[in-house]
Amino acid sequence: MSRTVLTREQVLQAADDLVRQHGPDALTMRGLAARLGTAVTSIYWHVGNRESLLDALVERAVEEIGAIQPAGRTPATRIVSVARRLRGELRARPHLIAMVHERGLTERVFLPAQRALVREAHTAGLRGARAAEAVRAVQFQVVGFVLVECARELAPAEPRERPRKTASARKDPALARALARPADPERLFTASMRALVKSLLAQGNA
Amino acid sequence: MSRTVLTREQVLQAADDLVRQHGPDALTMRGLAARLGTAVTSIYWHVGNRESLLDALVERAVEEIGAIQPAGRTPATRIVSVARRLRGELRARPHLIAMVHERGLTERVFLPAQRALVREAHTAGLRGARAAEAVRAVQFQVVGFVLVECARELAPAEPRERPRKTASARKDPALARALARPADPERLFTASMRALVKSLLAQGNA
DNA sequence: ACCTGAACACCGTTCAAGT
DNA sequence: ACCTGAACACCGTTCAAGT
């Protein structure tokens, strides 16, 4: 697998592959060394230690995501489009996002998109602290949603409890059935994003 | 520290204390044994292994949270009250919540509160799949928000980047200042929760 | 500048043996 | 039924030594 000399970039790439596929727990210094055909200690020379290696991967992921262009005609649809695109980017690397999350870097992932959101909030008539609050609400909503969503996918299949017949269930069987089915994240995300944005932007016309 | 014989409950309690204060990484089987004044292998007899010990702690936490009574007059305020109370419960045990999250058990935490939410959605006029969607949107929003929030607190102080002067910043300095300040989670949570619920319930009067 | 093996301290877990 | 020490396989990391 290895060629010529070992470079820091090679180490990062191999680690990235491993983490993306099997998560950070699968990344052991010894295993990585074996994969690269070198001694464990060589890796230390190139990346310092395991922790800073993971940091570098997180850094990479954050940069990869970068800025996102809004699409659509109204500010509301444009904000929702940014949110959906961002969700897509995050979902594409669930393990990395979990790591970004653990490191408390969630806000950083959002910085590139923030400017776009600010612009839309502004054209929707929001100003000052209220605009800032709206932008942040959207950010938290997106990241939070994706975290919940990824956790569900990465976790070993949540044991579904069979729904009990409650009073409300008998009154509205369609509701009970809908809650018994697993949620459709794509649909739920868009719906709740639209709902949130609608309310937030409505404050601008007051 | 130890008395008489070792019980499973004692093991769980000691582990719980440790995890609540210093997080799951601080829980080592050997360290726990030392704390309890027994051999490591005794712990294995009582709880199986580390993984199932952590599972038991998560189970405990989920049960502790339990049901939550809504407060307020309108369905909207009652739903928001449930959300806020739930946020409080989750925030009180950030490490445990992170573990619940990793295990994909986020939905389970919400089951006790779900019935209350369903009732409120119903009295607000929502029915069937639409009501289910509203309930789920609230759930995801709460859990997602708390996850982001806890991550920020547990992580070793996010390095704040100094804001750059962008075009929008010059147009609306109050907004730029607001975004430069760290977010006030309490306030942001309530605001975005209200916004979301308002939109969701508005669909019931259509 | 880059790579190496040996060694250290620490894990979770198993197992045969005790009472 | 409950507890024990010894042992195994695996970690991350350091360090002195090589080229």
Side-chain angles (χ1 to χ4, degrees), chain B:
Chain B
M1 217 45 70
S2 89
R3 309 255 83 203
T4 70
V5 290
L6 187 64
T7 79
R8 179 184 157 89
E9 209 46 45
Q10 275 176 46
V11 176
L12 289 183
Q13 192 54 53
D16 202 332
D17 293 346
L18 231 159
V19 169
R20 255 179 230 251
Q21 289 182 38
H22 307 104
D25 290 347
L27 175 71
T28 74
M29 301 301 270
R30 289 174 143 95
L32 189 60
R35 220 175 150 100
L36 288 164
T38 52
V40 209
T41 38
S42 304
I43 295 182
Y44 281 84
W45 195 89
H46 284 286
V47 299
N49 58 19
R50 195 183 116 101
E51 198 52 27
S52 56
L53 170 54
L54 290 177
D55 284 344
L57 295 187
V58 167
E59 194 59 35
R60 271 182 153 213
V62 171
E63 282 167 13
E64 265 180 40
I65 292 178
I68 286 178
Q69 300 302 325
R73 272 180 267 105
T74 69
T77 57
R78 289 164 71 81
I79 289 177
V80 172
S81 84
V82 169
R84 297 185 65 177
R85 291 275 306 281
L86 205 37
R87 170 172 171 267
E89 294 287 343
L90 299 177
R91 270 181 50 97
R93 22 181 103 69
H95 290 296
L96 268 320
I97 291 316
M99 288 167 58
V100 170
H101 167 60
E102 281 168 19
R103 278 143 223 268
L105 297 175
T106 25
E107 303 196 1
R108 273 218 33 213
V109 186
F110 242 110
L111 266 180
Q114 192 173 81
R115 205 176 310 186
L117 291 180
V118 165
R119 206 180 306 121
E120 299 305 328
H122 198 86
T123 67
L126 290 180
R127 295 289 182 274
R130 178 161 283 177
E133 199 171 71
V135 168
R136 281 214 165 105
V138 172
Q139 296 183 180
F140 268 67
Q141 166 101 320
V142 172
V143 180
F145 193 97
V146 174
L147 283 175
V148 174
E149 202 180 351
C150 286
R152 190 200 297 191
E153 287 171 18
L154 296 181
E158 176 152 8
R160 296 213 55 85
E161 297 187 23
R162 65 177 158 72
R164 291 150 303 182
K165 296 269 177 232
T166 66
S168 350
R170 246 172 289 122
K171 263 193 290 184
D172 190 342
L175 191 164
R177 257 180 287 120
L179 278 179
R181 276 196 303 271
D184 173 357
E186 167 82 35
R187 196 181 145 77
L188 185 59
F189 178 80
T190 306
S192 50
M193 207 65 222
R194 283 207 185 107
L196 179 71
V197 171
K198 187 178 171 187
S199 273
L200 290 173
L201 295 193
Q203 301 173 338
N205 312 328

Side-chain angles (χ1 to χ4, degrees), chain A residues 44-105:
Chain A
Y44 281 84
W45 196 90
H46 284 287
V47 299
N49 58 19
R50 195 183 116 100
E51 198 52 28
S52 57
L53 169 54
L54 289 178
D55 283 344
L57 295 187
V58 167
E59 194 59 36
R60 270 183 153 213
V62 171
E63 281 167 14
E64 266 179 39
I65 293 178
I68 286 179
Q69 299 302 326
R73 272 181 269 105
T74 69
T77 58
R78 288 165 71 82
I79 289 177
V80 172
S81 84
V82 169
R84 296 184 65 176
R85 291 276 306 281
L86 205 37
R87 168 172 173 268
E89 294 287 342
L90 298 177
R91 270 181 50 96
R93 21 182 105 69
H95 290 297
L96 268 320
I97 291 316
M99 288 168 58
V100 170
H101 167 60
E102 282 168 18
R103 277 143 224 267
L105 297 175

Side-chain angles (χ1 to χ4, degrees), chain A residues 82-179:
Chain A
V82 169
R84 296 184 65 176
R85 291 276 306 281
L86 205 37
R87 168 172 173 268
E89 294 287 342
L90 298 177
R91 270 181 50 96
R93 21 182 105 69
H95 290 297
L96 268 320
I97 291 316
M99 288 168 58
V100 170
H101 167 60
E102 282 168 18
R103 277 143 224 267
L105 297 175
T106 25
E107 302 197 0
R108 273 220 30 216
V109 185
F110 241 111
L111 265 181
Q114 192 172 82
R115 205 177 310 186
L117 291 179
V118 165
R119 206 180 305 120
E120 299 305 330
H122 198 86
T123 68
L126 291 180
R127 295 290 181 273
R130 177 162 284 176
E133 200 172 72
V135 168
R136 282 213 164 108
V138 171
Q139 296 183 179
F140 268 67
Q141 166 100 321
V142 172
V143 180
F145 193 97
V146 174
L147 283 176
V148 175
E149 200 181 351
C150 286
R152 190 199 297 190
E153 286 171 18
L154 295 181
E158 176 152 8
R160 295 214 55 86
E161 298 186 23
R162 64 176 158 75
R164 290 149 302 179
K165 295 269 175 232
T166 66
S168 352
R170 247 172 289 124
K171 263 193 290 187
D172 190 342
L175 192 163
R177 256 181 286 121
L179 278 179

